[in-house]
Amino acid sequence: MEISSKDIEGMVDVHTGRIHPAIYANAELYELELERIFGRTWLFLCHVSQIPKGGDFFNTYMAEDPIVVVRQKDGSIKAFLNQCRHRSMRVSHADSGNTKAFTCPYHGWSYGVDGALVNVPLEPKAYPQGLCKEKWGLREVTRVREYKGLIFGNWDPEAPELEEYMGDIAWYLDGVLDRREGGTEIIGGVQKWTIDCNWKLPAEQFASDQYHALFSHVSAVQVLGAKPDGDDRHLGSGQTARPVWETAKDAVQYGERGHGSGFFFTERPDANVWVDGEVSQYFRDTVDEARERLGEVRALRLAGHNNMFPTMSWLNGTATLRVWHPRGPNQVEVWNFCIADKAAPEQVKEAFERSETRAFGPAGFLEQDDSENWTEIQKVLRGKFARSTKLCLEMGLGNERMRDDMPGVTNYIFSETAARGLYKHWVDLLVCDTWAEVHERSRSYELELVK
Ligand code: FES
Ligand SMILES: [Fe+2]
């Protein structure tokens, strides 16, 4: 069976709030996603702090394609398909490191850090007819750009520039990247694990779903929340004792062009129950600088969830930045980075890493709750009838509006504006051949939402 554009359009109805669960479990759709979504959008590769010197490299993926990101001798950054042009072996195997060349372990072809094929063993004997090495360099990722320390790649020469692609999500992302002079860095290594679920489940949750936290994370909240005997400071002094949704004054969701974000308005710079005392203290100590750089709203925005379409997610305050690398329709490989202000003292960086791993590492007490939901959903979707029974995406339908204090289309935090936007953008990319059409559709949809 071949899926038509009409079929795809029929799977997502943002006007009535309905989605067809086949979007999470169909192999044919997945192949289309690799080409039309992951082949065209800006994908997070790594942080500049992970490749500081010439010859430094970091191995990652753009969807299923292995990619090596390399700092060049002149300080610029290039990214290549990590695929030997002889028989497709990976040429770079370490997670990261420093090198002068990438030598393929299969037959020894060797490539410079600029991707050029520089050495072929026994070349005169093996290729008596001659081998034009200039033709057989590593395939270079079409475009690589940096945004405040984060490096992104894109295969599509027609795609909008990175900042235009980001749109208003950049304002929300700056709340993490730009709190202090000097920017951010990645603390420690990268935690990697797989979850048996479609990539859109976690991406949508980080874009749009604060709603689950009240229920899915209730046991964590009971352990860490306020106690009748006042014994509610388990991790150090200064955390907000009660979950932020109980104490917040207001709460917002933002959703536009497939991106999404949500957070609570608080009055305290340490409104987070999941982190060590050193982290809470650090947020109190640095709130003035953050306020000066970002303004009141973002300086106090410490309990936010976010996803930049398609697969880069982060949480304010708890320092997790992650990519959901798709692995077929039924699996994601999570890459979890701990991101913190470069200017933070060493012991605070350690506390960030401890806190982040405890909550959102592979065995994190919040991560486990989320993963269980996603893997259970994916199991349910094995069922023939489950795969064809429509799902409700109606929350907050029709209540979108613009606000003066933050950019973009917003709604109350417990809504599905960002989820509807994510699936709408997913459809638009799958069915439109040009970015001009994609933009036209997004623009008219967003205008319609806030009219
Ligand atoms: S596959 Fe790389 S040298 Fe043969
Ligand atoms: Fe969660």
Side-chain angles (χ1 to χ4, degrees):
M1 162 193 165
E2 192 143 302
I3 296 185
S4 69
S5 292
K6 197 160 162 268
D7 297 331
I8 296 170
E9 304 254 21
M11 289 175 175
V12 175
D13 185 339
V14 286
H15 296 103
T16 56
R18 300 275 185 284
I19 40 171
H20 196 298
I23 66 169
Y24 301 117
N26 182 295
E28 215 179 303
L29 276 175
Y30 180 72
E31 284 304 313
L32 262 186
E33 288 176 340
L34 292 185
E35 180 190 325
R36 303 190 67 119
I37 293 179
F38 295 97
R40 299 208 279 174
T41 52
W42 286 97
L43 303 175
F44 174 67
L45 300 176
C46 67
H47 190 284
V48 287
S49 63
Q50 294 175 300
I51 47 167
K53 298 188 302 294
D56 283 353
F57 67 90
F58 181 84
N59 272 316
T60 183
Y61 289 90
M62 289 171 75
E64 302 257 19
D65 286 306
I67 300 291
V68 58
V69 191
V70 202
R71 176 82 69 178
Q72 302 296 297
K73 290 178 193 129
D74 67 1
S76 64
I77 294 163
K78 288 181 186 288
F80 303 98
L81 199 55
N82 186 1
Q83 176 193 37
C84 181
R85 298 294 303 280
H86 180 228
R87 281 296 178 284
S88 194
M89 183 60 171
R90 225 178 263 253
V91 298
S92 176
H93 284 259
D95 292 342
S96 60
N98 183 278
T99 192
K100 288 193 169 56
F102 299 105
T103 301
C104 177
Y106 198 174
H107 313 92
W109 283 25
S110 188
Y111 302 84
V113 292
D114 61 353
L117 177 60
V118 288
N119 192 47
V120 172
L122 301 172
E123 187 184 351
K125 287 209 161 84
Y127 297 91
Q129 78 284 19
L131 176 72
C132 179
K133 294 211 286 294
E134 288 74 35
K135 280 193 190 148
W136 297 105
L138 297 177
R139 181 165 177 184
E140 190 169 347
V141 175
T142 321
R143 291 155 80 192
V144 172
R145 297 284 183 275
E146 186 199 324
Y147 182 79
K148 298 189 181 181
L150 304 187
I151 304 165
F152 295 85
N154 194 323
W155 287 112
D156 182 3
E158 307 297 327
E161 273 304 326
L162 175 61
E163 290 195 31
E164 189 196 337
Y165 172 86
M166 293 172 87
D168 290 329
I169 193 74
W171 186 90
Y172 296 87
L173 180 54
D174 285 354
V176 170
L177 298 183
D178 217 1
R179 284 189 76 257
R180 300 199 62 196
E181 180 72 34
T184 54
E185 67 180 2
I186 300 298
I187 314 294
V190 186
Q191 293 172 316
K192 304 172 183 178
W193 68 98
T194 56
I195 304 176
D196 289 333
C197 71
N198 186 273
W199 66 270
K200 292 187 286 306
L201 293 167
E204 183 221 291
Q205 186 188 289
F206 275 69
S208 188
D209 189 342
Q210 183 66 46
Y211 191 52
H212 80 284
L214 286 71
F215 206 80
S216 290
H217 300 309
V218 72
S219 50
V221 172
Q222 280 167 355
V223 171
L224 293 174
K227 298 285 179 298
D229 62 0
D231 177 25
D232 51 15
R233 297 266 195 273
H234 295 268
L235 302 173
S237 67
Q239 294 87 352
T240 303
R242 304 190 67 75
V244 70
W245 53 80
E246 289 184 12
T247 53
K249 297 169 76 66
D250 190 6
V252 179
Q253 179 171 116
Y254 150 82
E256 232 175 23
R257 298 197 212 170
H259 312 311
S261 180
F263 65 100
F264 297 93
F265 281 92
T266 61
E267 289 178 314
R268 297 172 45 158
D270 53 3
N272 203 315
V273 294
W274 320 125
V275 293
D276 283 15
E278 291 99 316
V279 172
S280 297
Q281 187 58 48
Y282 174 73
F283 283 131
R284 285 193 292 273
D285 292 345
T286 56
V287 69
D288 289 341
E289 185 180 343
R291 195 182 275 122
E292 196 143 302
R293 299 173 70 85
L294 299 165
E296 184 76 8
V297 170
R298 289 183 295 173
L300 296 180
R301 181 181 181 252
L302 291 177
H305 59 78
N306 314 263
N307 187 62
M308 174 172 151
F309 188 88
T311 41
M312 185 182 87
S313 293
W314 68 98
L315 297 173
N316 304 60
T318 25
T320 179
L321 171 79
R322 66 248 320 271
V323 186
W324 316 102
H325 295 297
R327 294 291 175 262
N330 302 309
Q331 195 179 65
V332 284
E333 191 171 318
V334 188
W335 283 33
N336 183 44
F337 304 74
C338 175
I339 186 167
D341 298 334
K342 205 169 179 175
E346 267 329 293
Q347 77 274 18
V348 171
K349 289 179 185 169
E350 282 164 24
F352 263 116
E353 197 181 1
R354 245 188 346 263
S355 306
E356 192 271 341
T357 301
R358 183 175 52 233
F360 290 103
F365 61 90
L366 296 167
E367 190 71 36
Q368 292 292 302
D369 298 336
D370 295 326
S371 309
E372 188 176 2
N373 288 328
W374 303 326
T375 52
E376 287 300 313
I377 291 169
Q378 209 67 32
K379 281 186 206 157
V380 170
L381 295 179
R382 288 182 196 158
K384 187 166 176 45
F385 292 92
R387 263 202 314 260
S388 61
T389 302
K390 292 219 170 164
L391 304 173
C392 175
L393 194 71
E394 285 181 30
M395 202 185 305
L397 198 66
N399 286 335
E400 285 84 4
R401 67 187 180 97
M402 308 294 278
R403 299 176 58 119
D404 306 333
D405 48 356
M406 61 196 64
V409 175
T410 64
N411 203 333
Y412 183 55
I413 195 158
F414 298 125
S415 63
E416 284 163 343
T417 295
R420 286 188 289 274
L422 185 150
Y423 295 120
K424 171 84 171 58
H425 201 63
W426 177 85
V427 169
D428 291 349
L429 278 163
L430 289 183
V431 306
C432 296
D433 290 329
T434 67
W435 276 98
E437 283 175 78
V438 173
H439 282 154
E440 186 40 45
R441 280 177 174 236
S442 314
R443 240 192 317 273
S444 56
Y445 173 57
E446 281 148 20
L447 284 174
E448 187 188 318
L449 285 181
V450 295
K451 74 171 182 282

